[in-house]
Amino acid sequence: MAKKQLETVGGGAEGAETAAAIHPRVFQQTVDQADIAISITDVGGNILYVNPAFSRVTGYAADEAAGRNESMLSNKTTPPEVYKSLWQSISRGEAWSGRLINRRRDGSKYLAELSISPVVDAGGAIVNYLGMHRDITAMHRLECEVKNQKALIESVVDAAPMVIAVLDVDDRVLLDNQEYKKLQADLGMAEPAPMLMTAIRAGLELDTVKGRRNSGYAFLDREVRLDLPGGKPPRWFSCSGSRVREDDSGADAFFEGGGRDYLLLVAKEITGLRAEQEKGRVAALQVVMAEEDRVSALRESLSAATFRLEGPLNMMSSVVGMLARRNGDADPMAVALADAMAAGQQALAELRAMIPAETREPAGAINVNELLRDVLDLSTKRLLASGVSVNWKPQAMLPTLQGYPNQLRSMFKALIDNAIEAMSARGWRERDLSVITRAQPGGIDIVIEDSGPGIPAGQQLKVFEPFYTTKREGTAQRGHLGTGLSAAQQVAADHGGTIEVDPAKLGGCRVRVLLPVKRRS
């Protein structure tokens, strides 16, 4: 019977040619030695033949299975819809594959992965069914364990009170958690991870320049500051990253290996801790800046005095020379003027010696947003007293530049103080100050814009001249005695940048500062 059915399976023209080339016993031996359970039934599902693998899987010997219906394997727990779909497919002459819950001879259950193919005769009529199945209980258990582990990990990751994201080598986010999604909403951007990575890499590059150990993509406790618009306080994150290697599951990689690299980014928010530290830092900075303002005001006053004294002394020198040429060196007036001029030059030299020397501070990595925020915090009382409304529009993350932080703070403070003074004119009602930062190719653009009376077109270049001021006599504020914007321009130049008054601004004043990230040597 088995030999007859196997010959039927190989029916048709191609089957006849194959049977002629291969002895039927070879078919018999192949099926008997196959490691997958094979059964052949009639059109009613009654078993005609089973191979040894069938007996090993089900526990039914060949003589016990012969003549019985395949339904003897059913555990009666597979949904009826599955069997209905099975019979509809094979009755139409179509192959069917799926999973069934089967029962062995000893009553134990197992999950079977089954494939049934109709066997037709030369006329196309179905005469038998060929069934092949294997026990996939262990594989299913493993699949469920992996699925459960994945669900457990996802639930833990989503519940974690920190930002977690998996990035590919192009900083594309492949997986993230709920805290990451909350950060997306807070920042109003699609993907904040690339911005965080840019800041982290900038810090790693600085460490390399300083000779510190650079761990490449792996990093630990890298602090990143995000500045938010609309007057919101900045947020700080401590970021760590570790490499993740995924093996290539493709067939070509079975022997050759290969895979893809990912980065697990973990960012823990430390805003509360840093906010407390910032209070102390700003308080200390206020003392330092107040002293710096005092020294700068003294330096400015003495420089202005020497500048104004040099004019009369130069004029006296010309008069002495003219009298000497006209009346000779013994002319009493010439002698008296020469004595007075010598005394004046001595006083001028003493005055120059009293000018405080410029303080030299070490250069360091600078976050421009942080400096501007410091200046706004230091100017809060004055802004409130003057009724000025501040519109703070920082780019959330800016590239780091090398420079002198106190000098830049003084420059920004001078620009903001000038804006406050301009808007404090008697009777002036519009008092809006905008501070905007944005990254440009190779640099950072800072815009400080006020709604004051503005600077006349004819004076927009003169304001950068030393000791030039647009203020009326007696209206100069403390610490600003008439040097205009020349000192601010010098600070910008010392950092390789520029500062200019935007001539296109109609109403108010817009000052633009451009600082390069890398200065030319």
Side-chain angles (χ1 to χ4, degrees), residues 155-489:
S155 64
V156 171
V157 168
D158 274 340
M162 60 190 68
V163 172
I164 299 176
V166 176
L167 316 178
D168 64 10
V169 294
D170 297 317
D171 289 346
R172 288 190 294 261
V173 178
L174 305 179
L175 294 172
D176 57 33
N177 68 342
Q178 291 299 321
E179 285 297 314
Y180 183 85
K181 292 180 174 63
K182 286 171 58 179
L183 183 61
Q184 286 177 305
D186 290 346
L187 299 181
M189 60 175 57
E191 297 294 352
M195 178 180 61
L196 293 173
M197 289 305 303
T198 298
I200 291 167
R201 288 194 187 95
L204 294 174
E205 290 176 1
L206 289 174
D207 284 351
T208 303
V209 172
K210 296 174 183 177
R212 294 173 59 184
R213 183 170 178 260
N214 182 7
S215 56
Y217 266 116
F219 48 88
L220 181 65
D221 296 333
R222 288 281 165 177
E223 192 170 299
V224 175
R225 170 178 170 142
L226 299 181
D227 286 273
L228 308 181
K232 297 179 182 177
R235 295 172 65 175
W236 283 269
F237 293 87
S238 177
C239 300
S240 299
S242 57
R243 301 182 186 89
V244 179
R245 178 75 174 177
E246 181 186 60
D247 293 334
D248 192 344
S249 59
D252 292 339
F254 183 77
F255 292 107
E256 297 179 0
R260 288 178 289 273
D261 291 315
Y262 301 100
L263 180 74
L264 176 63
L265 174 64
V266 178
K268 181 179 180 181
E269 184 158 9
I270 56 172
T271 300
L273 175 63
R274 282 307 308 266
E276 290 299 319
Q277 295 175 349
E278 282 296 292
K279 289 180 181 178
R281 188 185 69 84
V282 172
L285 182 62
Q286 191 166 15
V287 174
V288 172
M289 292 296 292
E291 178 64 16
E292 182 66 25
D293 280 350
R294 187 187 67 80
V295 174
S296 295
L298 180 59
R299 186 184 303 115
E300 182 178 338
S301 299
L302 293 176
S303 297
T306 58
F307 177 78
R308 289 168 181 170
L309 285 174
E310 284 175 349
L313 287 175
N314 290 335
M315 186 177 296
M316 288 174 64
S317 177
S318 298
V319 171
V320 169
M322 182 182 65
L323 291 175
R325 287 193 300 273
R326 179 180 297 174
N327 302 323
D329 293 336
D331 182 76
M333 182 64 70
V335 173
L337 286 175
D339 291 341
M341 187 177 67
Q345 288 176 340
Q346 177 64 30
L348 188 61
E350 293 174 356
L351 195 60
R352 285 199 185 98
M354 296 172 60
I355 298 176
E358 293 281 350
T359 55
R360 302 298 298 175
E361 60 175 322
I366 292 176
N367 182 330
V368 171
N369 280 337
E370 183 176 359
L371 296 188
L372 283 165
R373 185 80 193 197
D374 288 344
V375 173
L376 290 174
D377 289 342
L378 294 172
S379 304
T380 298
K381 289 184 178 179
R382 191 173 179 200
L383 288 165
L384 293 174
S386 300
V388 176
S389 175
V390 178
N391 189 9
W392 170 230
K393 295 181 179 179
Q395 183 170 310
M397 181 63 63
L398 292 174
T400 302
L401 59 84
Q402 287 286 315
Y404 305 99
N406 285 338
Q407 287 188 22
L408 289 173
R409 283 193 191 93
S410 296
M411 178 187 73
F412 293 137
K413 189 172 187 303
L415 296 176
I416 289 175
D417 283 346
N418 285 341
I420 295 173
E421 289 167 7
M423 291 184 289
S424 298
R426 182 174 298 177
W428 200 264
R429 295 185 177 181
E430 294 184 22
R431 299 186 179 185
D432 298 319
L433 176 67
S434 294
V435 181
I436 305 167
T437 65
R438 50 181 172 246
Q440 301 286 3
I444 301 173
D445 189 23
I446 304 102
V447 176
I448 298 176
E449 182 177 340
D450 66 67
S451 59
I455 301 174
Q459 297 179 354
Q460 289 182 356
L461 294 179
K462 289 186 175 182
V463 294
F464 294 104
E465 296 177 0
F467 312 114
Y468 180 84
T469 180
T470 58
K471 303 164 191 167
R472 294 191 305 272
E473 189 69 25
T475 62
Q477 297 293 326
R478 183 177 67 249
H480 299 276
L481 304 180
T483 58
L485 297 177
S486 62
Q489 186 184 50

